[in-house]
């Protein structure tokens, strides 16, 4: 059995998704219960709304508030996303609700700014890990992914804008300093989440312009074991036809590629662009929620 066929095994795929969601739910719960709650922060998203209600109303535990608030959002996901995504997300919601009530220890961070930054980083990591699966932890992630699939709106960007509205409302009911610390938490969380979502997708798109393009392309294929494509152009000054090499590589091989190119042609043009979403053979597969 090849590695690709092994990784495509349905049972292994389910186990991987469940493991990512479970780990993400646990990490997110630690960020909320062990750090954010200790300082009275609002975490943002549906969990933030649940925390606000928990602080102001009480009655239910944080996990129970979170699950109750997620119910109407599941109807949004049911009609706009796949059944697979909904089932994984139901599991994520249940796992998060359980972990929220199970985590009882405190991190013991006294400085509120450090607590806001660290809790945001931990929570962002949790959400980012869970979203590496084909599900989520529920909450605004359901709406964010639906918007991402339809209009390519970034998940972290939507969550940050939603949180701005949530915190604006919170100013009327809550201490101003805590709301501002919560904004810092939200920004850090959104940034870290986007980082985790792109962590294993970072690629470099390279354009190489050289008079030795045939030899360089040969080296890319046989030395680096990478594919490449010729783009046919023409020099604006000389009017001579040019074969421009387009290739995609990762951050590990980019230096080797640079050395390979300039070993062939010290006068080559070597243009590198960062790209975070490369779909196709040898790279990421298209992810449909």
């Amino acid at each position: 059995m090849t590695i690709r066929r092994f990784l495509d095994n349905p049972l292994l795929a389910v186990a991987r998704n469940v493991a990512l969601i479970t780990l993400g739910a646990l990490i997110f719960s630690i960020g909320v219960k062990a750090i954010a709650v200790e300082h009275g922060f609002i975490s943002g998203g549906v969990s933030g709304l649940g925390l606000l209600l928990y602080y102001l109303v009480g009655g239910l535990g944080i996990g129970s508030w979170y699950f109750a608030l997620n119910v109407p959002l599941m109807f949004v996901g049911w009609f706009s996303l796949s059944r697979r995504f909904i089932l994984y997300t139901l599991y994520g919601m249940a796992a998060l609700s359980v972990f929220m009530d199970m985590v009882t220890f405190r991190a013991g961070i006294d400085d509120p700014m450090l607590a806001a930054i660290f809790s945001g980083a931990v929570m962002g990591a949790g959400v980012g890990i869970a979203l590496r699966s084909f599900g989520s932890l529920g909450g605004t992630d359901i709406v964010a992914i639906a918007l991402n699939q339809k209009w390519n709106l970034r998940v972290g960007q939507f969550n940050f804008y939603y949180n701005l509205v949530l915190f604006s409302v919170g100013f009327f009911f809550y201490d101003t300093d805590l709301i501002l610390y919560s904004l810092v938490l939200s920004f850090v969380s959104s940034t870290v989440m986007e980082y985790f979502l792109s962590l294993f997708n970072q690629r470099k798109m390279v354009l190489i312009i050289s008079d030795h393009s045939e030899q360089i392309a040969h080296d890319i294929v046989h030395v680096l074991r990478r594919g490449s494509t010729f783009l046919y152009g023409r020099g604006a000054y000389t009017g001579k036809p040019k074969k421009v090499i387009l290739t995609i590589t990762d951050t590990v091989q980019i230096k080797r590629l640079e050395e390979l190119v300039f070993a062939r042609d010290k006068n080559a043009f070597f243009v590198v662009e960062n790209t975070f979403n490369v779909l196709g053979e040898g790279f990421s597969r298209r992810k449909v929620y």
Side-chain angles (χ1 to χ4, degrees):
M1 179 182 291
T2 64
I3 294 177
R4 175 60 66 183
R5 288 181 61 189
F6 175 73
L7 293 175
D8 286 341
N9 185 289
L11 292 178
L12 181 64
V14 171
R16 173 185 173 275
N17 285 306
V18 169
L20 286 171
I21 293 170
T22 305
L23 178 61
L26 176 60
I27 293 174
F28 185 86
S29 299
I30 292 172
V32 174
K33 289 292 295 294
I35 311 172
V37 170
E38 184 177 14
H39 291 270
F41 296 152
I42 301 173
S43 61
V46 170
S47 62
L49 182 57
L51 279 172
L52 188 60
L53 292 171
Y54 172 75
Y55 296 143
L56 297 176
V57 180
L60 300 175
I62 298 173
S64 300
W65 273 118
Y66 180 79
F67 195 89
L69 291 170
N70 265 288
V71 172
L73 292 177
M74 292 303 295
F75 288 99
V76 175
W78 185 263
F79 293 105
S80 57
L81 297 167
S82 70
R83 301 295 180 265
R84 176 182 61 183
F85 175 83
I86 295 300
L87 292 174
Y88 279 130
T89 298
L90 279 171
Y91 171 76
M93 288 166 48
L96 185 58
S97 298
V98 170
F99 285 136
M100 283 278 199
D101 292 331
M102 285 179 58
V103 174
T104 57
F105 65 91
R106 296 291 180 262
I109 302 174
D110 296 325
D111 188 289
M113 181 57 75
L114 290 177
I117 294 172
F118 189 63
S119 60
V122 173
M123 290 161 58
V127 176
I129 290 172
L131 288 178
R132 297 291 304 179
S133 71
F134 280 99
S136 74
L137 300 180
T140 53
D141 292 341
I142 299 172
V143 179
I145 290 173
L147 293 175
N148 175 263
Q149 295 288 291
K150 192 171 182 63
W151 288 297
N152 201 34
L153 182 68
R154 289 187 303 168
V155 175
Q157 187 179 26
F158 169 81
N159 284 337
F160 185 69
Y161 290 144
Y162 167 86
N163 291 336
L164 281 178
V165 175
L166 174 65
F167 295 142
S168 297
V169 174
F171 273 114
F172 295 100
F173 304 100
Y174 218 54
D175 182 77
T176 302
D177 286 352
L178 289 177
I179 292 294
L180 293 176
Y181 283 130
S182 297
L183 275 170
V184 173
L185 182 156
S186 173
F187 176 76
V188 173
S189 178
S190 297
T191 303
V192 172
M193 180 186 65
E194 291 285 357
Y195 173 77
F196 269 80
L197 286 175
S198 62
L199 183 61
F200 300 102
N201 291 334
Q202 292 186 21
R203 299 290 186 266
K204 303 289 185 180
M205 183 180 75
V206 183
L207 294 172
I208 304 165
I209 304 173
S210 169
D211 292 330
H212 303 277
S213 54
E214 291 282 357
Q215 297 95 321
I216 292 173
H218 180 273
D219 289 344
I220 291 172
V221 172
H222 294 91
V223 177
L224 295 185
R225 303 295 180 183
R226 290 283 181 185
S228 63
T229 300
F230 285 125
L231 306 178
Y232 292 90
R234 183 166 59 89
Y237 178 73
T238 64
K240 294 181 179 179
K242 293 279 187 180
K243 284 185 178 180
V244 180
I245 301 173
L246 168 66
T247 187
I248 305 293
T249 186
D250 54 34
T251 54
V252 176
Q253 284 191 323
I254 189 66
K255 192 62 181 178
R256 289 187 62 199
L257 176 60
E258 179 185 324
E259 292 172 353
L260 181 151
V261 169
F262 287 103
R264 286 286 188 182
D265 183 5
K266 64 180 181 180
N267 296 315
F269 283 96
F270 189 85
V271 183
V272 180
E273 282 286 343
N274 289 321
T275 180
F276 297 100
N277 191 24
V278 179
L279 306 178
E281 183 66 30
F283 295 98
S284 301
R285 293 188 172 186
R286 182 169 177 261
K287 194 171 184 179
V288 180
Y289 289 100

